[in-house]
Amino acid sequence: MVWRDASEPVMWRADETELLPGAPIGTAVLSQDPKLSDEWWKAFSASLDALAAQDTRRVATPDTVTVTQGLVTESIRSAFAGDFDTTVERWVPAHADLNWANMTAPTFCLFDWEHWGNAPCGLDSASLWGSSLAVPPLADRVWQERRRDFESRDGKLMTLFTCSKILGPDAHPEDPRLGPARCMAERIVAELQAG
């Protein structure tokens, strides 16, 4: 159910849900490997593929901000210099808040859907990768499972979009994700500039 507030410029929404099949894996950003089974990873990847194959008119609102081409360009340009095009080519349905606090284990379940909608292809994969950077083997596993997303041009842009949030003006100097995000961003900027 969705309705607009009569006295404030806000929209309210209520969703019916069911009991989760397990506990959330952790906080949004993990500091240790949750040691997920191959079966879990298979269900995770199949779910993201199935979601991206759907059709919707909804627009994703990661961090409660409507994702637009302008937002993508502004976020990337605010953190990274370089002469490369930031135009997203493919928009697909995405969860748009994919992190370790919104999935369960040992049985895979993805929940907390209030931000879902069309977003640049690769947003979900890049978001989860960014949430995993403090645990390099976990970040590598996310990359391996969603390699197709990361190797696409849009996936590279979404990785930069994610890195811009980690490395931006509100970055904490002791965030263990800073180094890996910086290294990846440098690599991707060079790849995008090379064409």
Side-chain angles (χ1 to χ4, degrees):
M1 177 184 300
V2 177
W3 68 97
R4 292 201 179 273
D5 193 299
S7 61
E8 299 289 330
V10 296
M11 181 170 39
W12 300 96
R13 199 173 107 209
D15 295 308
E16 182 178 344
T17 61
E18 61 186 56
L19 187 63
L20 296 173
I25 293 170
T27 58
V29 176
L30 289 185
S31 58
Q32 58 185 337
D33 193 334
K35 304 202 184 312
L36 301 164
S37 69
D38 288 341
E39 180 180 281
W40 186 96
W41 285 105
K42 184 177 179 180
F44 158 75
S45 201
S47 292
L48 288 191
D49 289 344
L51 176 59
Q54 301 305 307
D55 187 35
T56 185
R57 291 189 312 234
R58 283 181 60 117
V59 178
T61 56
D63 300 322
T64 68
V65 177
T66 302
V67 68
T68 63
Q69 179 62 61
L71 176 68
V72 170
T73 298
E74 180 183 322
S75 297
I76 292 172
R77 293 284 180 230
S78 71
F80 310 110
D83 184 24
F84 58 91
D85 185 11
T86 60
T87 304
V88 173
E89 295 172 357
R90 188 168 167 235
W91 294 71
V92 298
H95 181 272
D97 190 21
L98 190 59
N99 63 63
W100 297 106
N102 293 335
M103 294 183 289
T104 63
T107 302
F108 172 81
C109 179
L110 180 55
F111 63 97
D112 195 15
W113 287 89
E114 72 263 21
H115 300 296
W116 86 278
N118 282 322
C121 184
L123 173 66
D124 283 342
S125 298
S127 297
L128 190 62
W129 170 82
S131 295
S132 308
L133 285 176
V135 185
L138 184 60
D140 290 346
R141 182 68 187 257
V142 172
W143 195 280
Q144 174 189 342
E145 294 294 328
R146 303 304 300 169
R147 178 176 300 277
R148 185 178 58 233
D149 287 343
F150 289 111
E151 290 178 349
S152 72
R153 187 176 175 288
D154 290 337
K156 290 176 184 180
L157 290 173
M158 288 303 92
T159 303
L160 283 182
F161 182 72
T162 296
C163 289
S164 73
K165 293 178 182 185
I166 296 169
L167 301 169
D170 297 326
H172 190 283
E174 295 177 21
D175 186 340
R177 301 175 303 154
L178 293 175
R182 193 173 293 112
C183 287
M184 181 59 73
E186 289 171 2
R187 188 181 105 197
I188 291 175
V189 166
E191 288 174 9
L192 291 171
Q193 287 177 323

